[in-house]
Amino acid sequence: MIDIALKTAEAGYLTRRLVESTQNLAIISSDCGTSTSVLFVENDLPLIKRVYGRYLAQDISGKKGEIILTHNTLLLEKEIKIIQENKITEIWAFSPLNCQLVEGICQKCYGLDLSKPGETVAMGTAVGVIAAQSLGEPGTQLTMRTFHRGGITGDEDITQGLPKVKQIFDNVKPNKEEKSILAKANGKIISIEEKIIKQKSDEGKEIIYPLGKKKKVRINLGDMVKKGEKLTGGKIDLEEYLEIVGRDKCQEYIKEEVRKVYDDQGIDINEKHIEIFARQMLSKTEIIDSGGSDYLTSEIVNYQQLVKVNKSLIDNKNPPISFKTIVSSLKDLASYPDSFLAGISFQNTLKSLVNYSLYQPVDYLRGCKENLIAGQLVPVGSGFKERERFQRKTTRKE
Ligand SMILES: [Zn+2]
């Protein structure tokens, strides 16, 4: 009884964080113009399931080299059949992960509206809230139990269910004993001793990994290991992983870990919903060197915004900004959104109020929550069209 009561509360709070960290995300453009896409192959999900409802990023050729599907095609039943008939095993498709829009997602990166078969997602669809509902609602069905295996050391990270989802979305940092040691480069393991592992990288550099207490080594002498691979048991520190493998692989990792939790419990969630959260978690960057821009060192800037500024700096032959992507937990995202009304109404109101009054005292009322608070139409769904009409009218008057 107590377990169930706790679970409802926990799952409810998860939903709240999910919704509040993406409530401002809607479909606001037909095409962001991104050239980056994701390579889909078969994993424990069939390839056709993974790409259904996405826009193709590259042409697909048949056995004789003839083009059977052209890029920018939305993959629906008919196209999926062609893919199956030609036994295609790799597909480059667009994904919300790479959408370049600063304040929303574009139709091309999102693709099909999953609730309306056969239709591209409509402008103004609140894809953030939909993603949050899709993950939050079945949250009550996830187990609350944490399992430990591997004797007293508790070396393997086999946390499952709700605690695992929380661990990832909250970006819980493992402590020193729990943390897994990750390979910093591609290369061969040349020595495993009691206290250290040595690796010779492909570039010929020798890397030494000190082993902490009681760590279970997961590799063998002579193994070729890849950058980011676990050398010992334990939990992955997302920040460290991001630094080693980079943005794309880290997004992929977040997505897969969350998907597997739901999948293990028999809950089928479309990958697209989880991609929205992976993108949000890596949406903030910290400025290291402002280059030719007006930003300040250590200022926190939206990643998509920064890419845009950097492109124009390079185009105008100015020095680009150097930056570091940071991992934000859903709580961070919900606590400090661009809107101060949304921020102060999440939790820690007083602290938040002081912060916003100092650093960000203007609210542009772009998201759902802040508009609800202000008693206005939300800028999604029919409210999106209404707002567009209003904007057109006011620009004409001007
Ligand atoms: Zn896009």
Side-chain angles (χ1 to χ4, degrees), residues 63-342:
K63 281 202 184 71
K64 291 168 199 141
E66 78 287 15
I67 290 169
I68 49 174
L69 285 171
T70 51
H71 65 281
N72 291 345
T73 308
L74 181 61
L75 303 175
L76 299 174
E77 277 80 9
K78 194 180 105 207
E79 290 78 14
I80 291 293
K81 222 172 174 180
I82 299 176
I83 291 169
Q84 274 178 313
E85 281 164 6
N86 286 274
K87 300 195 171 67
I88 304 298
T89 53
E90 285 186 351
I91 292 171
W92 287 93
F94 291 110
S95 142
L97 288 175
N98 302 108
C99 191
Q100 282 181 350
L101 294 182
V102 179
E103 281 158 7
I105 308 258
C106 77
Q107 286 176 312
K108 202 159 104 186
C109 290
Y110 194 82
L112 180 81
D113 185 333
L114 298 159
S115 65
K116 292 179 185 144
E119 269 179 60
T120 302
V121 66
M123 291 289 274
T125 306
V127 289
V129 177
I130 293 172
Q133 289 285 0
S134 308
L135 287 170
E137 191 268 337
T140 47
Q141 293 171 47
L142 296 172
T143 51
M144 274 286 278
R145 263 165 272 174
T146 1
F147 298 95
H148 287 293
R149 199 166 54 192
I152 33 159
T153 55
D155 234 357
E156 289 309 308
D157 177 24
I158 47 161
T159 313
Q160 293 176 350
L162 206 54
K164 177 75 183 182
V165 176
K166 271 171 55 193
Q167 185 186 316
I168 298 166
F169 282 153
D170 288 348
N171 183 25
V172 177
K173 272 184 143 347
N175 62 35
K176 238 180 170 177
E177 280 96 64
E178 297 176 320
K179 205 165 98 172
S180 170
I181 296 174
L182 306 173
K184 292 194 173 104
N186 296 334
K188 196 173 175 177
I189 300 299
I190 52 168
S191 146
I192 301 174
E193 286 157 43
E194 203 183 321
K195 290 211 169 102
I196 53 167
I197 297 177
K198 279 187 198 163
Q199 181 197 25
K200 192 163 190 177
S201 76
D202 287 352
E203 289 81 39
K205 236 171 70 189
E206 194 178 284
I207 306 168
I208 294 171
Y209 302 94
L211 285 170
K213 269 186 251 162
K214 291 183 197 163
K215 282 222 166 98
K216 197 176 162 198
V217 178
R218 286 174 55 138
I219 33 105
N220 296 310
L221 195 67
D223 277 1
M224 295 299 290
V225 295
K226 280 195 186 129
K227 222 175 175 178
E229 210 174 306
K230 275 174 149 188
L231 301 181
T232 64
K235 294 175 181 167
I236 284 187
D237 177 354
L238 266 183
E239 251 140 62
E240 190 190 328
Y241 189 70
L242 172 68
E243 228 177 279
I244 297 175
V245 299
R247 183 182 188 81
D248 289 355
K249 288 228 170 101
C250 188
Q251 288 195 129
E252 196 60 38
Y253 173 80
I254 295 173
K255 175 174 115 180
E256 271 303 290
E257 288 295 293
V258 174
R259 187 188 65 78
K260 275 186 208 148
V261 173
Y262 284 89
D263 200 51
D264 279 348
Q265 322 247 329
I267 305 164
D268 189 17
I269 291 194
N270 193 286
E271 286 180 73
K272 218 148 52 176
H273 298 312
I274 316 173
E275 283 165 21
I276 290 195
F277 289 99
R279 177 184 189 260
Q280 287 300 89
M281 283 182 77
L282 300 189
S283 65
K284 303 262 192 257
T285 60
E286 186 182 338
I287 309 280
I288 293 172
D289 183 336
S290 55
S293 73
D294 295 333
Y295 291 126
L296 303 171
T297 307
S298 77
E299 196 173 334
I300 306 294
V301 182
N302 174 287
Y303 171 76
Q304 283 80 15
Q305 176 71 30
L306 193 135
V307 171
K308 227 161 116 184
V309 175
N310 245 357
K311 191 179 173 292
S312 84
L313 283 174
I314 294 166
D315 287 349
N316 295 312
K317 299 199 167 61
N318 282 314
I321 307 162
S322 64
F323 63 93
K324 186 181 134 198
T325 304
I326 44 182
V327 184
S328 314
S329 67
L330 296 191
K331 201 169 144 191
D332 298 336
L333 294 167
S335 301
Y336 296 104
D338 292 334
S339 152
F340 82 76
L341 283 173

